[in-house]
Amino acid sequence: MNDCFILLAAGKGKRFNSKIPKQYINYKNKPLYVHSINKAIESNMFKKIILVLDKKNKTIVNDKISVITGGKERYQSSLKALDYIKNNNIKNVYIHDAARPNFSIKLLKRLKKNLKNNKAVIPYIKTENSTKYKKNNKIINLDREKLLFTQTPQCFDFKTLYKFSKLNNKIITDEASLFLNNNMRIKFIKGEDNNFKITKKTDLNKFNMKYFFGIGFDIHKLIKRKKLYLGGTRIPFHSGLQGHSDGDVILHSIIDGLLGALRKKDIGTIYPSNKTKFKNIRSPNMLSPIIKNLNKDGYYINNIDINLICEKPKVYKYRDRIILSLSNLLNIKKNQINLKGKTVEKLGLIGKEKAIACEALVSLNYYA
Ligand code: ZN
């Protein structure tokens, strides 16, 4: 595995007309560029991943990823990245625009397969539009069957691309242009319709985004000689929560909130308490299959608000810890989660520290 993935995310996005550079806009609940980085990591095809940003970024901690700052123009950013890896014994290099967050790992694999006998492999799509061309103030018809619209990721033999990049000083819109300008053969393969480029703000309106909300509630009795788990983390306490599972009321409420927003019944239907196979199941294991399918089905968590209802333990003491644990389990940022503590004026079972209850409100975005 001697391949490198370069993500170009240093542009100013003039056509996007926004205060925040396009690569950082929120797309499907993540900064736009993060989608491509995640896919490169998930593909497991790369020895190195180079993220070219417009400014330094110290929040990315992953030993495979190097963050560098780009140049003024795209071709300069691309050359800076190639310079950066020149001594890393890289065989193939994939160059991708952050504005195309929707390519598939399948496409990466097809590119790789085709690179075996080629020095440049470029994905393209065709157009359905009738196409004209302006030449010397005259408009002429073009045969759309002969038009190729190129996409990224584009993949190349590193040495060849690096050589052409160093010699180039012209503005180009993709690296395939370098090969064409040098009369080099390119293997064109079919791209993906879904791999469109987000250029203008109105491109984001192409999605039909909907909101869904779900509410969850749970209560468990406190019993001695059991460990207490709240939000997937162990909390020191004199008792733990009784139940078929570890009795984690926070996770159970969140699961029911998620299922509610997904319109998929409730936790008891998915994990019936009379089934021995779910006996003593840890609640994070009940949550993880739901989270795994969530994004696949087009849903993204917007925020979660939680009321933990108990006399003790005091929520403020463990808030940060619980939120950190939840953000890891739910794969969302800490600032998408809020945890409130609520006592019941020492009333009833909860007031006498015999039970803990919880309610959670979950909001999901859905991109059709
Ligand atoms: Zn429960």
Side-chain angles (χ1 to χ4, degrees), residues 218-220 247 252:
D218 196 28
I219 183 163
H220 283 261
H252 294 180

Side-chain angles (χ1 to χ4, degrees), residues 217-220 242-243 245 247-249 251-253 267 283 286:
F217 174 81
D218 196 28
I219 183 163
H220 283 261
Q242 188 180 30
S245 64
D248 190 327
V249 284
L251 288 188
H252 294 180
S253 304
I267 192 170
S283 298
M286 299 165 83

